[in-house]
Amino acid sequence: DDEFIKVIKESGRVVLPVFSPEKLKKSKNFMYEVKEVRGSTAYFNESALSLGHINALPDKDQIIRKFPSFIKSNGKVYPQLSLELVRIYRNQKSIKVVLTESFFKKFDGIPVNRNGEFYIHYINPEEMNRKYFYRFEDVLEGKYPKDAFKNKIILVGQTILGAKNAD
């Protein structure tokens, strides 16, 4: 753990996830307020550049098409992980969201609906696995395309199929 924390701190580019274990309820002013968030230990979080939440809002058919832009717990606001990554990449102090009913025009900010949710481009799981996922073992053994990670934001995670709140 100490070595991993040291590498996170030295990198200066690691954003760690947090999540709320409770079901998200309708937002107030683009914020989903929750009682608690869970994540890494304080030692890891303090070493990271930032934190972002990974809560999702599955539709009735259980397909995830949107994410809450922000969750708030105990007075602290957590942007959705990908929004936080974009904010850092663009070297911005904050994330600007724009309320809209039409997503077919150009925005100076992230377009959101009335609940402060932003929509994502749905990619079917087979295509996603084929094009965008690399097993950790393959990465360690160098079994991936040469420029696969060049000029990209990389999400490192795990998937535990069937485990509640663990995908």
Side-chain angles (χ1 to χ4, degrees):
D1 285 353
D2 289 338
E3 288 298 315
F4 193 29
I5 289 169
K6 180 181 172 188
V7 170
I8 289 172
K9 189 178 283 189
E10 288 174 358
S11 163
R13 301 182 332 170
V14 174
V15 178
L16 292 175
V18 297
F19 72 97
S20 170
E22 66 189 84
K23 183 177 180 180
L24 300 181
K25 296 181 179 99
K26 290 290 180 189
S27 72
K28 296 176 187 166
N29 300 325
F30 296 164
M31 297 281 172
Y32 280 80
E33 294 198 32
V34 297
K35 292 178 185 162
E36 70 171 314
V37 294
R38 295 183 184 166
S40 302
T41 67
Y43 297 114
F44 280 93
N45 289 347
E46 291 163 5
S47 299
L49 175 62
S50 188
L51 304 172
H53 83 81
I54 56 172
N55 287 80
L57 297 165
D59 287 334
K60 289 181 182 180
D61 60 4
Q62 296 307 302
I63 292 177
I64 296 171
R65 296 179 177 93
K66 62 185 179 283
F67 287 100
S69 300
F70 306 97
I71 63 173
K72 183 177 182 179
S73 179
N74 297 318
K76 179 149 176 54
V77 175
Y78 300 91
Q80 200 280 335
L81 182 69
S82 61
L83 294 184
E84 182 63 356
L85 292 170
V86 168
R87 181 194 69 78
I88 291 167
Y89 177 78
R90 292 180 177 171
N91 200 25
Q92 296 173 321
K93 291 184 179 182
S94 62
I95 299 167
K96 180 179 178 182
V97 294
V98 179
L99 177 64
T100 184
E101 296 296 325
S102 172
F103 290 88
F104 300 105
K105 61 182 184 177
K106 189 167 175 80
F107 296 96
D108 178 28
I110 306 296
V112 297
N113 65 18
R114 288 186 193 120
N115 293 319
E117 304 156 353
F118 66 94
Y119 293 96
I120 61 169
H121 175 70
Y122 175 77
I123 302 173
N124 73 53
E126 293 80 23
E127 180 182 359
M128 186 178 297
N129 284 331
R130 189 177 68 251
K131 289 184 174 180
Y132 304 105
F133 279 61
Y134 298 97
R135 291 180 23 214
F136 188 64
E137 181 179 347
D138 291 343
V139 172
L140 289 176
E141 295 176 1
K143 297 178 183 175
Y144 57 90
K146 179 183 174 191
D147 291 334
F149 304 121
K150 185 176 182 179
N151 298 321
K152 300 213 172 64
I153 294 172
I154 309 301
L155 299 177
V156 179
Q158 67 180 15
T159 302
I160 305 172
L161 296 176
K164 186 178 178 181
N165 288 330
D167 292 345

